[in-house]
Amino acid sequence: MTTMLSVQSIDVFYGDVQAIWDVSFEVASGEVVTLIGANGAGKTTTLKAISGLLKARSGEIFFQGRNISNWRPHQIVEVGISQVPEGRMIFANLTVLENLQMGAYLQKDKSGIQMEMDFVFSIFPRLRERLRQVAGTLSGGEQQMLSIGRALMSKPRFLMLDEPSLGIAPLLVKTIFEKIVEINRQHGITILLVEQNANLALEVSSYGYVLETGRIILQNESSALRQNPQVKSAYLGGI
């Protein structure tokens, strides 16, 4: 299977404070891979390093064979990487339509933008119903749909999702995760999923990495991680 993303021994700092140490992992094309770990483990920092929002002080990041370690965020979006940030981070004072249009800011072809919007509506039909609604008045689940939809507007080949279940009603969490699987399986978009809900994350992914205090301590196929006593005890409530 072809490697789409390769993260090689990256160290990332916030000022003088080191957040992740020697982190390495790979994501194969067409797969859903998850990073699980407690709050503060370094999951979001890792995603920010991939998307160019933080620069790794050492190590390298490759996307489809190209070294993107020192690229700017907009260049990384241009090659097909898109991130759905933790906490959704929608433009609350703009409408649903305007938020989606913001996601397509790199696209110049109006017909192409409409095609992407129709693609988003095929996954999240509720967004079409809410098109003229101010985004800040949507429910938490609808805002998450919008955040994912906005990321899809840039036509990504590789989608990073940061805590998509955070602050969402349990019933809608199930819907969101079903849609994540649909985006991967039916539309062929490779996914890197960061999620505190380890049980859900390991259920929808094929391979997983466990981050603890900035270091990867375990990795395996997701089915094997679900049976791992250490993972069960720390992240699956001992089930």
Side-chain angles (χ1 to χ4, degrees):
M1 199 168 287
T2 309
T3 299
M4 182 170 271
L5 179 83
S6 178
V7 175
Q8 301 180 3
S9 302
I10 63 170
D11 295 317
V12 179
F13 290 72
Y14 290 94
D16 293 328
V17 179
Q18 189 163 359
I20 56 175
W21 284 261
D22 194 31
V23 164
S24 299
F25 63 92
E26 291 187 346
V27 182
S29 181
E31 295 292 294
V32 178
V33 171
T34 188
L35 286 175
I36 62 172
N39 194 29
K43 305 185 302 297
T44 296
T45 300
T46 302
L47 294 194
K48 285 183 174 179
I50 295 167
S51 61
L53 296 170
L54 290 171
K55 296 297 178 194
R57 195 170 291 186
S58 60
E60 294 178 313
I61 301 168
F62 291 86
F63 181 69
Q64 295 190 314
R66 302 166 79 180
N67 190 335
I68 62 169
S69 306
N70 295 307
W71 288 19
R72 294 181 178 181
H74 73 273
Q75 295 173 309
I76 290 169
V77 173
E78 283 174 354
V79 295
I81 298 176
S82 194
Q83 182 173 346
V84 179
E86 181 181 0
R88 301 182 282 277
M89 302 296 285
I90 58 163
F91 299 101
N93 60 332
L94 300 182
T95 65
V96 168
L97 174 61
E98 289 166 336
N99 268 271
L100 292 174
Q101 289 170 333
M102 290 294 283
Y105 78 100
L106 286 172
Q107 292 200 52
K108 304 294 184 280
D109 176 15
K110 286 188 176 179
S111 63
I113 291 173
Q114 188 56 53
M115 281 177 63
E116 290 310 307
M117 206 166 287
D118 289 340
F119 167 57
V120 170
F121 295 151
S122 73
I123 299 168
F124 299 116
R126 197 176 302 189
L127 294 181
R128 191 195 295 273
E129 299 166 14
R130 304 281 195 271
L131 204 55
R132 304 293 173 185
Q133 191 168 328
V134 174
T137 65
L138 299 172
S139 71
E142 289 167 343
Q143 288 184 15
Q144 187 61 270
M145 292 175 192
L146 178 57
S147 186
I148 296 170
R150 182 182 59 189
L152 292 173
M153 289 295 294
S154 66
K155 297 177 69 174
R157 287 173 281 177
F158 186 86
L159 184 65
M160 300 190 293
L161 295 133
D162 194 354
E163 304 283 9
S165 74
L166 195 66
I168 295 174
L171 193 63
L172 274 175
V173 169
K174 184 173 181 290
T175 301
I176 293 292
F177 272 77
E178 285 171 353
K179 296 300 184 181
I180 290 169
V181 171
E182 179 185 334
I183 289 165
N184 170 251
R185 292 182 185 169
Q186 294 185 24
H187 302 287
I189 296 173
T190 304
I191 290 175
L192 177 59
L193 172 64
V194 156
E195 181 56 62
Q196 273 186 273
N197 188 330
N199 207 33
L200 263 178
L202 293 172
E203 194 176 307
V204 302
S205 60
S206 57
Y207 202 88
Y209 295 85
V210 181
L211 262 176
E212 195 171 281
T213 56
R215 294 176 173 85
I216 288 176
I217 60 161
L218 281 171
Q219 66 179 77
N220 209 332
E221 292 181 358
S222 298
S223 55
L225 286 177
R226 291 180 80 184
Q227 301 305 317
N228 181 293
Q230 189 178 348
V231 174
K232 278 185 170 184
S233 172
Y235 304 107
L236 304 179
I239 60 173

